[in-house]
């Protein structure tokens, strides 16, 4: 599914791109699996979180990738705090 | 300096090396990507083992290379000014680590060039094979060269005064001890601990680790200065 919303990449150096549900879904599944969540549960959580992010996006024409990360992390936290922690930490580990 | 004293200095320098966190960060990230990509536990272990092996080999190479260069440059008798430079380097880096090691933000981001951090991060994400993980281990040691240079130089200065057999022992001691924190994380990952728990511990204790690393460098620098610069000067006058 592709929404008509432009995603401004981190730092604004790379060109904007359109939102891809699958990309967000995969990143949330990966975060859940990283904390050894069963695959089925990870898929379910990713579906729920992705839906929540999409409904948040529908009202906005342009957002940054960081905004999406924050909103996804916020929703993920209510379903799986440990996965949300790793999802949030991903870019600030090194 | 006695053989035991020399090995003790090398061990302390290696312990300071082990307290630096770049390789641990990369290993944590590598495990996260590998587990998140649905790799089997055996594959995760292969990747992390190769990474630790790469870090160990690069540490070994750098230490032996610096020792070789110092042997060629100064021979078997190290002039006092080199000890003074070495101890100054240790204390300077120690103060810098106290002040700057971690960035003042959430997470465990380090004061290394962002281009290097991005390179390591991108390579970690792209790593699928054990050979790539091995290369990543090599690169991560290069990435923290700015911090490990001081303990490596001082260990090399100590090493070149030892008998050849003890030199090998010294190189072995340094390499094994410097891998200590990596091995601990490797064991934790291998035994099924969650990465969030490991990362949370690292984040919560990052200022303690920073303080310990900086203090270790300062103590080592002070000891080397007193033992190798001040001692002979006062003893000789």
């Amino acid at each position: 599914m592709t929404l008509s919303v432009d995603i401004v990449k981190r730092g604004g150096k790379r060109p904007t791109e359109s939102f891809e549900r699958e990309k967000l879904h995969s990143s949330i599944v990966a975060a859940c699996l990283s904390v050894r969540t069963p695959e089925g549960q990870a898929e379910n959580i990713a579906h729920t979180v992705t839906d929540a992010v999409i409904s948040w996006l529908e009202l906005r024409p342009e957002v940054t990738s960081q905004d999406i990360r924050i909103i996804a992390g916020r929703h993920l936290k209510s379903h799986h705090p440990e996965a949300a922690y790793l999802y949030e930490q991903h870019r600030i580990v090194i | 300096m006695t053989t035991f004293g020399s090995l003790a200095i090398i061990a302390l320098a290696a312990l300071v090396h082990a307290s630096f966190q770049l390789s641990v960060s990369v290993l944590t990230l590598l495990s996260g990507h590998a587990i998140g990509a649905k790799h089997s536990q055996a594959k995760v272990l292969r990747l992390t083992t190769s990474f630790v092996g790469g870090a160990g080999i690069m540490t070994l190479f750098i230490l032996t290379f610096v020792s070789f260069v110092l042997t060629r440059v100064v021979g078997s008798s190290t002039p006092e000014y080199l000890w003074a430079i070495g101890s100054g380097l240790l204390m300077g880096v120690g103060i810098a680590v106290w002040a700057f090691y971690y960035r003042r933000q959430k997470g465990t981001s380090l004061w290394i060039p962002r281009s290097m951090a991005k390179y390591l991060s991108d390579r970690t994400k792209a790593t699928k094979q054990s050979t790539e993980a091995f290369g990543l281990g090599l690169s991560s040691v290069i990435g923290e060269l700015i911090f490990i240079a001081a303990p490596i130089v001082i260990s090399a200065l100590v090493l070149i005064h030892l008998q050849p057999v003890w030199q090998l022992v010294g190189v072995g001691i340094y390499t094994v001890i410097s891998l200590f924190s990596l091995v601990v994380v490797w064991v934790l990952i291998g035994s099924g601990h969650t990465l969030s728990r490991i990362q949370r511990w690292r984040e919560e204790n990052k200022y303690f680790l920073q303080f310990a690393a900086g203090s270790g460098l300062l103590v080592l620098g002070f000891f080397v200065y007193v033992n190798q610069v001040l001692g002979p000067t006062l003893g000789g006058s």
Side-chain angles (χ1 to χ4, degrees), chain B residues 63-123:
Chain B
L63 179 59
T64 47
F65 173 73
V66 174
S67 303
F68 174 73
V69 169
L70 285 173
T71 309
R72 304 299 291 178
V73 172
V74 300
S76 56
S77 61
T78 306
E80 275 176 21
Y81 73 85
L82 263 186
W83 285 112
I85 290 172
S87 53
L89 193 65
L90 283 168
M91 288 194 253
V93 175
I95 291 167
V97 165
W98 264 357
F100 303 118
Y101 192 56
Y102 283 108
R103 288 174 185 263
R104 305 241 173 249
Q105 61 182 49
K106 283 178 78 178
T108 49
S109 294
L110 300 167
W111 270 106
I112 56 168
R114 283 298 87 192
S115 53
M116 174 56 89
K118 188 174 181 324
Y119 168 76
L120 288 173
S121 189
D122 292 346
R123 280 309 313 156

Side-chain angles (χ1 to χ4, degrees), chain A residues 34 82 85 88-89 92-93, chain B residues 32 35 106 108 196 199 203:
Chain A
S34 297
E82 288 298 293
Y85 176 73
E88 186 185 82
Q89 288 277 319
I92 46 176
V93 170
Chain B
I35 300 169
K106 283 178 78 178
T108 49
S196 54
Q199 179 61 17
E203 192 186 15

Side-chain angles (χ1 to χ4, degrees), chain A residues 39-87:
Chain A
E39 210 173 320
Q41 191 186 348
E43 289 285 344
N44 286 341
I45 291 172
H47 272 298
T48 313
V49 172
T50 308
D51 287 345
V53 172
I54 286 173
S55 53
W56 178 82
L57 278 175
E58 278 167 354
L59 304 170
R60 290 158 179 86
E62 190 179 79
V63 295
T64 65
S65 51
Q66 181 64 15
D67 291 334
I68 293 185
R69 229 181 151 74
I70 291 168
I71 298 301
R74 205 174 286 164
H75 286 285
L76 182 56
K77 197 170 185 175
S78 60
H79 296 280
H80 201 316
E82 288 298 293
Y85 176 73
L86 264 197
Y87 186 76

Side-chain angles (χ1 to χ4, degrees), chain B residues 124-165:
Chain B
T124 308
K125 200 173 175 182
T127 297
K128 306 274 185 293
Q129 306 291 328
S130 298
T131 45
E132 292 171 317
F134 184 83
L136 191 63
L138 300 175
S139 311
S140 73
V141 176
I142 304 239
E144 60 188 353
L145 210 51
I146 190 168
F147 300 113
I148 62 172
I152 280 188
V153 166
I154 225 65
S155 299
L157 279 175
V158 173
L159 271 175
I160 59 176
H161 292 285
L162 292 172
Q163 296 292 320
V165 174

